Amino acid sequence: MLAPKMPDPENPKYTLWKAQLEKEFASLNGELIVIGHSLGGSVLLKYLSEKSVKQSISGLFMIAAPYWGKDDDWQAGEYTLSEDFALKLPQVSQIFFYHSFNDEIVPFAHLGHYLEKLPQAVNRTFKGNDHYFNNGLPHLVDDIKGS
């Protein structure tokens, strides 16, 4: 398992995170399972829709990822996906989204924006306001085992 440290996480910049992702993907071989949480999830989707990766991705798992550019409070051009981003993603066997109904950080409506663009994705919704899932996310583990 690889969990790369992203540059300057308290003041994130897409260009720096993109460079880190390029470095990480360049060092990997074989089939991948890729997980992104919150901003990391939205950055990962943007990266995968803009760059080509040589690896096969068997599963893409997005946890509480914001969809930039739709809501007034979520405007940041550097993170905004292209309108046709879903068509530009590499072939991914399975895509999963996980989101709490009352997420206190990323509004639940953001999940709907993703599902409009990626109707083939599996969505897992949870009661409560979890964003960080500090007590774990057993559904994620089960879905990874099944992919």
Side-chain angles (χ1 to χ4, degrees):
M1 182 176 100
L2 177 65
K5 299 257 187 232
M6 300 310 276
D8 202 3
E10 298 302 317
N11 186 27
K13 301 282 184 238
Y14 178 72
T15 54
L16 297 176
W17 285 33
K18 177 176 78 171
Q20 185 67 36
L21 287 172
E22 286 174 345
K23 182 176 153 185
E24 299 295 338
F25 275 101
S27 71
L28 300 171
N29 293 307
E31 194 167 346
L32 304 178
I33 292 174
V34 184
I35 303 169
H37 174 257
S38 198
L39 176 62
S42 60
V43 166
L44 185 58
L45 281 170
K46 183 172 175 70
Y47 177 81
L48 291 173
S49 70
E50 294 178 349
K51 299 289 182 182
S52 64
V53 294
K54 64 182 181 195
Q55 301 86 351
S56 172
I57 300 175
S58 62
L60 180 59
F61 301 86
M62 300 287 100
I63 305 164
Y67 195 108
W68 296 91
K70 292 283 188 182
D71 300 347
D72 289 343
D73 293 340
W74 292 87
Q75 299 295 318
E78 68 181 310
Y79 302 121
T80 301
L81 296 164
S82 67
E83 189 62 31
D84 62 347
F85 85 93
L87 301 173
K88 297 177 180 180
L89 289 173
Q91 180 66 35
V92 178
S93 299
Q94 297 182 72
I95 302 174
F96 290 82
F97 285 91
Y98 306 84
H99 214 109
S100 294
F101 284 112
N102 296 307
D103 186 323
E104 294 180 340
I105 297 174
V106 178
F108 184 71
H110 288 223
L111 173 62
H113 300 313
Y114 281 118
L115 296 177
E116 284 177 24
K117 298 291 185 176
L118 297 163
Q120 77 279 19
V122 175
N123 88 70
R124 307 274 191 235
T125 54
F126 305 95
K127 294 178 182 174
N129 60 0
D130 260 345
H131 179 76
Y132 296 105
F133 297 95
N134 291 327
N135 294 323
L137 192 51
H139 286 52
L140 172 65
V141 174
D142 292 341
D143 290 338
I144 290 171
K145 287 178 181 178
S147 69

